[in-house]
Amino acid sequence: MNIPHVEHRFVEVDGVRVFYREAGPKDAPTLLLLHGFPSASHQYRRLFDALGGRFHLVAPDYPGFGHTEAPDGFRYSFDALADVTERFVQALGLTRFTLYAFDFGGPVGLRLATRHPEWIAGLVVQNANAYEEGLSDLARGAIANRPGVPGAEEAVQPLFTLPVTRSQYEGGTVEPALVDPDGWTLDQHHLDLPGRKEAQTALALDYHGNVELYPQWQRWLREHRPPTLVLWGTNDAFFLPAGAHAYLRDVPEARVHLFETGHFALEECLPEIAPLIAEFLDAIPAARSLPEPEPESASRPLSESRSRLRIAVLGASGNLGGAVAREAAARGHEVTRLGRADADAADPGAIAAAVAGHDAVVASLKGGDRLVPRAAAALLEALPKAGVHRLLFVGGGGSLESAPGVRFVDSPDFPPQYLETARDQAEALDVLRSADTTVDWSYVSPPPVYLVPGERTGTYRAEARDTPIADAEGVSRITVGDFASVVVDSIEQGTFLRRRFTAAY
């Protein structure tokens, strides 16, 4: 018998004392379990017993739920829940995991995914809706309650009562006797704690903002197409089975399994669901959290979580190219540093000969006579001949937009000493975007101004977008060390294919 020890801990996150459960070997594939309403991490207790011996399971309680303690004055919203969960993930050092999103875990988890696509190795969706067609009339009625609507606060109060809490567990089940009454009893205990109904009222009135984000989450799914397993209780009073099938529109390879049960599908169908999750995790070796990189001089085997790759770096003598080469080598990959003496970056034949046998090519180039866009075209011609399918093109921040349709490079006050290079990098992006090619290219832009010296922290955000990522003060900034990590992460994880993306804090 392989019964895991389950640890119950707290971690301080921005003034919130977050309670979480953790089990399993930390070098195994990680599954981050995000709970729903009105529950907490205890809803996954049986799943911990089923899977915690083989996989690394982590399940936090959100502020306003379970055993997590939030300070007085905490402002409850789904953005705030995602902020705390994001900091929680960083506090535990999780850098790569499969996300289990149930109910409220959908809006919280998909916010995390769009902020940090590099974290997401896979996605398990269990009655977590992200499509209009998945909303029942009951759900639409609840979502209509929002701040400023007369009577809205009063209308949501029945959601926090024992009959409704119990009905969420038993409603739609075939065999109610299989549902443990401790679940709804513990949920109601936490709902009745001081301040909890006020917190839940704020979240109920904020739920409409999740529906408004559906297009953004669907775009993320469509662009990143993570390995996805959809599990759905078909008798859910809130989220209809059409919401399960809708994921196939953006992730056609997703596996969808429907179960004749209610909202809390694990309560009745865990014996059928747990093996599906285990099989899914076994098929995602990259779901293991990646260790911190060691110095380039260190001699160690790669973690079992990833394969050793052969990566050719064009422009490895430059600042960014050199940083990428060092980061890849520190992770145990075989790196070929290519300079001008090794291959003419604008000569398809020379490039094909230099990169043959590699798994990926990174191009971080500068030069006159339109070298950068000519090299982009040459790489697209050369890589298929060399049998290389992955290209990561390090571009510039000048081609990012300061306003819709307005690039920084076109600004009248753009620094003249960088103008030629910035225009060449922008043209290279146009070459990649317009190409009919079999190459899985990605174009990465640093912030337009603040790409600064510094080491890797692993806390960056990366997104497929044409505008800079900015922090709360409106500043877009990243260190060279973290930017190099962005590049290698994208190669290892196969993210942002045929897209431009950018990264910052």
Side-chain angles (χ1 to χ4, degrees):
M1 298 177 69
N2 189 12
I3 300 175
H5 290 284
V6 180
E7 298 178 341
H8 306 84
R9 301 181 181 276
F10 287 90
V11 63
E12 193 79 15
V13 176
D14 296 340
V16 177
R17 191 166 181 253
V18 178
F19 173 84
Y20 67 99
R21 302 165 196 267
E22 185 173 19
K26 294 186 179 180
D27 61 348
T30 296
L31 183 65
L32 178 68
L33 297 131
L34 300 184
H35 66 80
F37 168 85
S39 195
S41 61
H42 64 260
Q43 74 169 81
Y44 295 119
R45 285 176 296 181
R46 291 187 67 211
L47 193 62
F48 265 69
D49 289 339
L51 300 182
R54 291 179 54 196
F55 305 105
H56 180 214
L57 272 56
V58 179
D61 294 352
Y62 312 133
F65 295 80
H67 297 288
T68 287
E69 302 167 8
D72 293 340
F74 186 89
R75 298 186 64 179
Y76 289 90
S77 68
F78 282 91
D79 281 340
L81 298 190
D83 291 343
V84 172
T85 306
E86 178 182 15
R87 297 292 184 264
F88 166 80
V89 168
Q90 293 169 334
L92 265 61
L94 305 179
T95 57
R96 186 75 168 158
F97 50 82
T98 291
L99 174 69
Y100 188 113
F102 165 68
D103 188 54
F104 274 23
V108 174
L110 287 170
R111 279 174 168 83
L112 257 62
T114 54
R115 295 177 187 181
H116 293 281
E118 73 281 0
W119 287 356
I120 310 302
L123 185 62
V124 179
V125 177
Q126 194 249 293
N127 291 73
N129 192 61
Y131 295 86
E132 287 276 356
E133 56 263 51
L135 296 172
S136 69
D137 290 341
L138 180 63
R140 293 179 187 276
I143 293 166
N145 294 306
R146 59 188 68 191
V149 174
E153 287 194 21
E154 294 76 12
V156 301
Q157 298 311 305
L159 294 173
F160 317 133
T161 62
L162 180 58
V164 173
T165 301
R166 179 171 180 171
S167 71
Q168 291 197 59
Y169 279 82
E170 293 186 318
T173 60
V174 176
E175 292 289 344
L178 295 175
V179 179
D180 185 349
D182 288 350
W184 72 72
T185 302
L186 189 54
D187 285 355
Q188 194 62 43
H189 164 75
H190 289 304
L191 278 172
D192 291 338
L193 292 175
R196 289 294 176 88
K197 286 187 172 64
E198 290 80 4
Q200 297 301 333
T201 298
L203 291 170
L205 299 183
D206 187 52
Y207 197 93
H208 66 92
N210 298 325
V211 179
E212 293 164 6
L213 289 174
Y214 281 0
Q216 178 179 330
W217 299 340
Q218 292 161 17
R219 183 170 62 251
W220 179 84
L221 290 164
R222 190 163 53 249
E223 291 174 352
H224 294 277
R225 292 171 70 164
T228 301
L229 174 65
V230 181
L231 310 165
W232 211 271
T234 58
N235 301 328
D236 190 331
F238 296 95
F239 301 137
L240 304 174
H245 294 296
Y247 280 91
L248 293 170
R249 189 162 64 236
D250 295 311
V251 190
E253 305 86 359
R255 295 161 53 191
V256 178
H257 297 268
L258 304 181
F259 301 88
E260 189 178 359
T261 189
H263 185 62
F264 283 88
L266 289 177
E267 294 294 315
E268 187 177 14
C269 298
L270 184 135
E272 294 78 28
I273 290 175
L276 294 173
I277 298 173
E279 179 186 0
F280 181 71
L281 292 176
D282 280 334
I284 310 177
R288 294 173 172 83
S289 294
L290 301 179
E292 289 294 312
E294 297 178 10
E296 186 174 354
S297 59
S299 176
R300 65 171 175 86
L302 266 185
S303 164
E304 293 179 359
S305 64
R306 57 178 181 249
S307 301
R308 180 182 177 89
L309 301 175
R310 294 193 67 199
I311 302 174
V313 181
L314 289 166
S317 60
N319 182 35
L320 291 183
V324 171
R326 290 190 296 274
E327 175 70 17
R331 298 191 189 188
H333 299 302
E334 182 180 342
V335 177
T336 302
R337 295 167 170 82
L338 298 174
R340 294 183 180 180
D342 302 299
D344 180 353
D347 181 345
I351 294 175
V355 305
H358 288 78
D359 300 296
V361 173
V362 176
S364 180
L365 302 167
K366 292 182 181 179
D369 193 25
R370 296 181 55 253
L371 172 65
V372 179
R374 290 192 298 116
L379 284 160
L380 293 178
E381 180 181 342
L383 265 57
K385 297 177 181 177
V388 180
H389 301 289
R390 186 75 172 103
L391 169 64
L392 199 303
F393 202 96
V394 179
S399 61
L400 291 167
E401 297 179 352
S402 56
V406 181
R407 302 181 303 180
F408 284 93
V409 69
D410 299 324
S411 168
D413 56 354
F414 192 86
Q417 65 269 34
Y418 303 125
L419 189 58
E420 180 181 5
T421 296
R423 285 176 174 168
D424 284 351
Q425 290 169 333
E427 186 180 349
L429 175 59
D430 293 337
V431 169
L432 295 172
R433 281 177 163 170
S434 62
D436 181 10
T437 179
T438 60
V439 176
D440 285 330
W441 61 268
S442 301
Y443 181 104
V444 58
S445 291
V449 178
Y450 295 112
L451 176 62
V452 298
E455 299 301 316
R456 176 190 191 273
T457 69
T459 60
Y460 69 83
R461 295 160 54 198
E463 297 179 16
R465 55 192 288 173
D466 288 323
T467 55
I469 297 171
D471 61 18
E473 285 71 43
V475 177
S476 182
R477 177 184 175 275
I478 196 169
T479 64
V480 171
D482 273 326
F483 190 73
S485 182
V486 168
V487 173
V488 181
D489 283 347
S490 180
I491 293 172
E492 288 181 344
Q493 299 162 15
T495 53
F496 306 111
L497 300 183
R498 300 170 187 267
R499 302 287 297 174
R500 186 256 283 278
F501 69 103
T502 186
Y505 300 128

